[in-house]
Amino acid sequence: MILAANAAVGVITETNAEKALEELRAYQADVATVLRNGCFSILPATELVPGDIVEVGVGCKVPADMRMVEMLSHQLRVDQAILTGESCSVAKELDSTSAMNAVYQDKTNILFSGTVVVAGRARAVVIGVGSNTAMGSIRDAMLRTEDEATPLKKKLDEFGTFLAKVIAGICILVWVVNIGHFRDPSHGGFLRGAIHYFKVAVALAVAAIPEGLPAVVTTCLALGTKRMARLNAIVRSLPSVETLGCTTVICSDKTGTLTTNMMSVSKVCVVRSVHQRPITDEYSISGTTFAPDGFIYDASENQLEFPPQSPCLLHIAMCSALCNESTLQYNPDKKSYEKIGESTEVALRVLVEKVGLPGFDSMPSALNMLTKHERASYCNHYWENQFRKISVLDFSRDRKMMSVLCSRKQQEIMFSKGAPESVMARCTHILCNDDGSSVPLTMDIRNELEARFQSFAGKDTLRCLALALKRMPEGQQSLSYADEANLTFIGLVGMLDPPRDEVHSAIHSCMSAGIRVIVVTGDNKSTAESLCRQIGAFEHLDDFTGYSYTASEFEGLPPLERANALRRMVLFSRVEPSHKKMLVEALQSHNEVVAMTGDGVNDAPALKKADIGIAMGSGTAVAKSASDMVLADDNFATIVAAVAEGRAIYNNTKQFIRYMISSNIGEVVCIFVAAVLGMPDTLVPVQLLWVNLVTDGLPATAIGFNKPDGNIMAVKPRKVNEAVVSGWLFFRYLVIGAYVGLATIAGFVWWFVYSEDGPRLPYSELINFDSCSTRQTSYPCSIFEDRHPSTVSMTVLVVVEMFNALNNLSENQSLLVIHPWSNLWLVGSIILTMLLHVAVLYTEPLSALFSVSPLTLAEWKVVLYLSFPVILIDEVLKFFSRRPRAWSFPLRLWRREMLPKEARDN
């Protein structure tokens, strides 16, 4: 069953890899409008060749990599987020770039295959098709990336190889040691004696090999997967669950992971009055999503009860609602608000809803009584019904603004919005917030407004828009560029893609856990640095030199400086897909365990190359297929919770490895010591197999339900080359295993030498049992075939291993701290195991099958006396483990050659 499961996982993994490549095709255009034989015709995109002239327009998927040759509209904007991760659409132009070492974001005259045109029309010449496109290079990168074994798998393989060699040596040794007993009369001949001890050696091998380990590891990982699903982390690759636990670096995408990917207005600046200082008023707006929930606060952080009573805020709401081509709607299936159109325009729509409507004292509470579908655009619809749109002047690159002519009650008004430097240059008046009057715009006020704009755009790195209006002649039905003059300035709005509320604490948790977070983004350096400052990634840093690099800056560094930069880097900006993969490979070459997040097609090669690739639930199908884990809620804080779960899984894996190995060492010690001393077989092979079945099954699996230690996220991640079994831990295995084995033999000896129901033989008679038939004795030789002594031994072995299971509730914490009932599954499995064992002892067909007999009360007491000390011994060992340098001294008692390679290195 285990082999079948492993084979199935392999097939599924291969299928997923192929699926990721298939899903890349979804981003290829099916058809293209191409110039052939002197006229434009629609042809399959697969027939394009370099040199073809192609025409693209709004809604078109770009069919190949192309260079712009002719603009057929005022502007052309392309959404290339799937390729570069940029949060806003990009304006394209005919001029070639002057940037050195230009990345995709710098190539503003190139249209990339698979991206979507969101505004305008243009013609372009094909420069690359198929694998010679930016999208094709992503496919090639994914094909070249080979999956690597996880850290746990590597260490378990090494430990398994070491264990196999040790067990093979012990089995051969047991068989060789007993060569002198092959001729014992009880065996009936040399050959039969050899076969008997060969069976003992085989039983010993079965006892020593933890054959349940793969099943228990798989079960533990599956349980972790189930728990992580509750945390919104959907695991696609089972071994990756544990990899999270040793992650040392998280390379996190900025847009949508650290931020909400929902542009929202955070600040508004208006002119209060020209007669008193300060001249301007500044408002801050709460709410970081597209939901129309949030409040407006003044400079003193007092909430405005009725924002529409402020003339400037009222006119900002009007202008934002009317000078807008986007749509805000509620999706009942996803239970979230969604945008259609440009993010900046949707942010203005949301601002309108937060401002509310004038003339209603009960406005805020009245809006909350609407359904979410009605609430999405209620205020926007109000203004659109109050005003009738007559004419629109679209945004153009040279003007950097757009205007709309509206009519209300036979009065025509033009509303404008655009880049602050363009709008303010066309303004001659300002609207005062104190009394709603319009006054001339003086040089002092202009300088004050420009200073505010520089503060918004520079220090706060907000994306700014200026809003203005102008009363037009009655009856005007159209607009011209000449109309965009003598405007009245209304206000300045600053917006950003805000950081998620929980990210700051999650970043702090990572720092406490010794995990470095590197923010990776296609956005420009200043915007990204501002975000890093807000989320605490640049905590205690005033100078970002040496911590923040663009991709071109990093590539230009000499090898030694690049290595130093990798150790300190916090921000990696202006990147393209190849840079992300390069960063992952560079970090891995420094023995870092890298988790990479991403959502776009551009992230797929890096997701596949990383030790654990984490895709966003809202991301592309390609990214999800290339990843090991998907975040259903796109939240960085979920990664931190998943890391804690991964560490807990690894700790539990170590615990049941410790439990199984120490128990198996006990079985080996029992058989080996009995053979060396020349005693009768303490356990027959079938009894050994029974012990193996009941102890390696239920209790071992139940250890996977252990609760994580309280300080799990306060310790540094383990090193990638750290052995599953370290030197001190291996010593603990040997001590506990030795006690388990000796306690089992002690039970056997007690029955023969001290038990009131036993023969009370001298010890010398017991170790010379094989010569009983050749000499005169005071007892019958058949006493050595009695079932009682092996039953006592077998029961001691089962009970001592149940106590040992309780030891493994925590690696170092005492049972007085982590109580047995903290894992009720383990308590239940121990009870069930003991019931099964009692059934074997006291049920007639089973007792005959396993060569056992019922135990008396006195015998049960001895079993408990011999078994319980294993808890006391482990408590002492745990005490030393909790003390620094405690693990170093016992290793001096052992030769280095006796330890696994990793233990010797330690």
Side-chain angles (χ1 to χ4, degrees):
M1 285 175 72
I2 292 165
L3 286 172
N6 287 341
V9 167
V11 171
I12 291 166
T13 303
E14 289 297 317
T15 306
N16 286 338
E18 293 301 318
K19 192 178 175 187
L21 297 176
E22 283 295 317
E23 282 165 345
L24 265 174
R25 294 181 184 174
Y27 296 93
Q28 296 174 356
D30 297 323
V31 294
T33 305
V34 59
L35 182 65
R36 291 283 170 88
N37 301 320
C39 62
F40 280 94
S41 54
I42 297 175
L43 295 177
T46 51
E47 294 184 14
L48 290 179
V49 293
D52 272 334
I53 302 295
V54 176
E55 187 173 303
V56 293
V58 176
C60 280
K61 198 175 282 183
V62 178
D65 279 11
M66 306 188 294
R67 188 181 72 252
M68 298 267 291
V69 293
E70 185 181 359
M71 192 81 79
L72 302 176
S73 60
H74 293 301
Q75 63 164 345
L76 185 81
R77 298 189 72 84
V78 178
D79 180 357
Q80 53 187 41
I82 63 164
L83 188 65
T84 62
E86 292 167 289
S87 51
C88 297
S89 60
V90 178
K92 295 294 182 178
E93 55 191 24
L94 300 178
D95 299 333
S96 58
T97 180
S98 58
M100 299 293 289
N101 300 319
V103 295
Y104 290 149
Q105 294 90 325
D106 298 325
K107 299 175 183 178
T108 51
N109 64 331
I110 302 293
L111 305 179
F112 296 105
S113 173
T115 58
V116 179
V117 177
V118 295
R121 280 175 63 228
R123 287 176 184 163
V125 61
V126 175
I127 58 172
V129 295
S131 60
N132 294 321
T133 62
M135 202 69 77
S137 65
I138 290 174
R139 177 186 175 279
D140 292 344
M142 289 172 69
L143 283 172
R144 289 194 299 268
T145 304
E146 295 181 3
D147 293 329
E148 293 186 7
T150 64
L152 178 64
K153 188 177 187 305
K154 289 177 184 175
K155 293 306 166 189
L156 284 180
D157 287 346
E158 290 173 12
F159 183 68
T161 304
F162 163 75
L163 204 60
K165 291 175 182 176
V166 171
I167 290 166
I170 291 174
C171 290
I172 293 169
L173 190 62
V174 166
W175 195 71
V176 170
V177 164
N178 283 287
I179 287 177
H181 296 289
F182 287 1
R183 298 184 184 278
D184 289 351
S186 59
H187 299 312
F190 182 86
L191 184 61
R192 288 188 175 182
I195 292 171
H196 173 80
Y197 284 105
F198 178 73
K199 285 180 179 179
V200 171
V202 169
L204 181 64
V206 172
I209 296 170
E211 66 286 332
L213 185 58
V216 175
V217 169
T218 303
T219 304
C220 191
L221 293 175
L223 290 171
T225 301
K226 191 175 178 182
R227 285 196 294 268
M228 288 166 94
R230 293 195 209 109
L231 300 172
N232 290 316
I234 299 158
V235 176
R236 298 183 66 257
S237 169
L238 209 57
S240 66
V241 175
E242 174 277 329
T243 308
L244 268 173
C246 60
T247 298
T248 56
V249 178
I250 298 175
C251 296
S252 177
D253 192 33
K254 177 184 79 74
T255 307
T257 308
L258 298 174
T259 66
T260 61
N261 196 19
M262 297 182 188
M263 195 71 77
S264 63
V265 175
S266 64
K267 287 188 176 181
V268 172
C269 177
V270 298
V271 175
R272 184 173 66 171
S273 171
V274 295
H275 303 298
Q276 53 183 342
R277 295 276 177 178
I279 294 173
T280 57
D281 266 340
E282 192 174 298
Y283 298 102
S284 56
I285 292 90
S286 65
T288 57
T289 67
F290 289 148
D293 306 321
F295 301 101
I296 299 175
Y297 299 88
D298 61 20
S300 304
E301 298 187 0
N302 297 316
Q303 182 185 328
L304 298 190
E305 291 295 327
F306 304 109
Q309 290 180 355
S310 302
C312 287
L313 289 178
L314 179 65
H315 284 82
I316 284 174
M318 288 183 199
C319 184
S320 298
L322 298 167
C323 203
N324 204 314
E325 300 294 324
S326 67
T327 304
L328 177 66
Q329 61 186 23
Y330 181 72
N331 186 329
D333 296 329
K334 295 182 180 178
K335 296 183 178 178
S336 64
Y337 291 89
E338 294 180 341
K339 64 162 186 166
I340 298 174
E342 285 281 353
S343 296
T344 50
E345 293 200 328
V346 177
L348 293 176
R349 290 264 185 223
V350 177
L351 175 63
V352 175
E353 299 300 324
K354 291 175 181 176
V355 172
L357 300 176
F360 300 96
D361 290 344
S362 61
M363 177 46 61
S365 56
L367 287 173
N368 293 333
M369 294 172 68
L370 298 171
T371 65
K372 290 188 175 182
H373 179 72
E374 294 171 325
R375 180 71 187 92
S377 296
Y378 186 85
C379 299
N380 281 276
H381 289 159
Y382 173 84
W383 292 119
E384 287 169 346
N385 292 331
Q386 289 289 314
F387 290 85
R388 180 172 59 88
K389 280 189 184 181
I390 301 172
S391 179
V392 176
L393 275 180
D394 286 326
F395 180 93
S396 64
R397 285 185 59 80
D398 54 341
R399 290 162 42 248
K400 294 184 180 177
M401 62 186 294
M402 75 168 286
S403 298
V404 58
L405 177 63
C406 300
S407 173
R408 182 189 186 217
K409 296 178 180 179
Q410 298 182 338
Q411 186 179 31
E412 276 67 44
I413 301 176
M414 181 181 74
F415 292 102
S416 301
K417 79 168 192 293
E421 63 272 20
S422 297
V423 174
M424 285 196 285
R426 291 170 168 81
C427 289
T428 56
H429 289 72
I430 54 168
L431 184 69
C432 292
N433 201 35
D434 272 1
D435 54 9
S437 61
S438 176
V439 299
L441 176 57
T442 63
M443 188 55 68
D444 286 344
I445 299 172
R446 189 183 295 275
N447 291 338
E448 176 72 19
L449 288 173
E450 285 181 356
R452 286 288 181 175
F453 165 50
Q454 294 303 328
S455 174
F456 277 18
K459 179 185 170 187
D460 300 324
T461 60
L462 300 178
R463 186 168 186 176
C464 297
L465 288 175
L467 307 178
L469 59 80
K470 180 182 180 181
R471 295 188 188 278
M472 305 299 287
E474 188 176 336
Q476 183 166 335
Q477 296 297 306
S478 63
L479 286 177
S480 67
Y481 295 149
D483 291 323
E484 292 179 327
N486 302 320
L487 305 179
T488 300
F489 179 84
I490 306 172
L492 184 70
V493 297
M495 58 187 75
L496 78 165
D497 181 8
R500 292 176 180 270
D501 296 334
E502 56 280 352
V503 164
H504 193 283
S505 60
I507 293 278
H508 189 267
S509 296
C510 285
M511 290 177 175
S512 301
I515 301 170
R516 192 154 56 99
V517 178
I518 299 178
V519 178
V520 183
T521 179
D523 270 350
N524 64 62
K525 192 173 183 178
S526 58
T527 303
E529 284 179 347
S530 173
L531 174 91
C532 288
R533 198 184 296 112
Q534 291 176 57
I535 62 176
F538 281 150
E539 212 161 69
H540 310 306
L541 290 178
D542 295 322
D543 183 11
F544 303 154
T545 306
Y547 296 91
S548 173
Y549 294 90
T550 63
S552 55
E553 287 171 353
F554 182 74
E555 284 186 311
L557 293 174
L560 186 60
E561 286 185 34
R562 189 181 290 192
N564 290 330
L566 278 173
R567 295 188 187 97
R568 303 174 66 194
M569 184 187 290
V570 175
L571 174 63
F572 197 41
S573 56
R574 216 67 184 151
V575 300
E576 58 183 49
S578 60
H579 294 134
K580 292 187 177 184
K581 189 181 176 188
M582 175 196 72
L583 177 64
V584 171
E585 289 173 341
L587 288 167
Q588 287 174 333
S589 69
H590 284 72
N591 291 323
E592 303 280 11
V593 179
V594 184
M596 167 65 81
T597 74
D599 57 357
V601 174
N602 59 318
D603 299 318
L607 290 172
K608 207 166 188 302
K609 180 62 182 171
D611 295 289
I612 175 160
I614 305 170
M616 303 297 110
S618 62
T620 59
V622 182
K624 291 177 190 174
S625 296
S627 68
D628 301 298
M629 191 173 90
V630 178
L631 298 185
D633 58 358
D634 293 8
N635 196 335
F636 181 81
T638 303
I639 302 175
V640 180
V643 167
E645 189 62 48
R647 290 186 173 190
I649 288 167
Y650 179 75
N651 288 348
N652 288 348
T653 304
K654 272 177 70 174
Q655 287 310 99
F656 61 67
I657 290 173
R658 175 187 159 204
Y659 166 69
M660 294 172 83
I661 301 298
S662 60
S663 298
N664 291 0
I665 287 174
E667 294 167 15
V668 171
V669 167
C670 167
I671 293 171
F672 185 73
V673 171
V676 170
L677 294 177
M679 290 166 46
D681 295 337
T682 50
L683 296 168
V684 297
V686 71
Q687 291 174 338
L688 207 54
L689 294 175
W690 168 252
V691 171
N692 233 31
L693 182 68
V694 294
T695 58
D696 287 6
L698 292 173
T701 306
I703 288 170
F705 289 92
N706 282 352
K707 289 183 179 178
D709 291 345
N711 65 340
I712 199 162
M713 286 299 282
V715 294
K716 290 186 177 182
R718 72 180 193 277
K719 293 179 181 176
V720 69
N721 58 353
E722 179 185 305
V724 176
V725 182
S726 62
W728 167 245
L729 206 57
F730 189 70
F731 173 76
R732 284 173 61 178
Y733 287 172
L734 291 176
V735 172
I736 297 296
Y739 179 78
V740 170
L742 294 175
T744 305
I745 292 174
F748 187 82
V749 172
W750 170 83
W751 191 87
F752 277 107
V753 178
Y754 300 108
S755 174
E756 293 181 1
D757 298 325
R760 296 207 171 193
L761 301 177
Y763 178 72
S764 58
E765 291 291 324
L766 182 60
I767 58 175
N768 291 305
F769 78 100
D770 50 349
S771 61
C772 175
S773 58
T774 61
R775 55 192 173 81
Q776 190 75 27
T777 60
S778 60
Y779 54 87
C781 291
S782 60
I783 194 70
F784 295 112
E785 296 173 11
D786 196 298
R787 293 180 181 179
H788 269 90
S790 62
T791 304
V792 171
S793 287
M794 179 173 135
T795 305
V796 167
L797 192 52
V798 169
V799 174
V800 77
E801 291 192 14
M802 292 304 101
F803 283 127
N804 193 26
L806 292 175
N807 284 335
N808 288 280
L809 283 166
S810 172
E811 183 177 334
N812 295 321
Q813 292 297 328
S814 168
L815 277 173
L816 299 174
V817 176
I818 297 182
H819 305 291
W821 53 87
S822 66
N823 186 347
L824 293 176
W825 290 100
L826 181 58
V827 174
S829 68
I830 290 172
I831 293 170
L832 184 57
T833 298
M834 289 310 302
L835 289 174
L836 288 171
H837 186 69
V838 169
V840 165
L841 296 184
Y842 295 96
T843 307
E844 188 50 48
L846 291 174
S847 60
L849 183 65
F850 288 99
S851 302
V852 294
S853 58
L855 296 182
T856 64
L857 185 60
E859 288 166 340
W860 273 109
K861 284 181 180 178
V862 170
V863 166
L864 290 173
Y865 288 148
L866 289 172
S867 303
F868 186 75
V870 77
I871 285 182
L872 302 178
I873 293 169
D874 203 50
E875 285 293 311
V876 172
L877 293 171
K878 284 180 179 180
F879 173 79
F880 282 114
S881 295
R882 292 193 294 270
R883 295 290 178 270
R885 303 169 66 88
W887 60 273
S888 57
F889 74 88
L891 293 182
R892 297 173 194 149
L893 304 175
W894 303 92
R895 290 179 61 195
R896 292 175 75 251
E897 291 77 10
M898 294 177 64
L899 299 174
K901 180 181 180 297
E902 295 82 1
R904 292 204 303 272
D905 292 343
N906 285 343

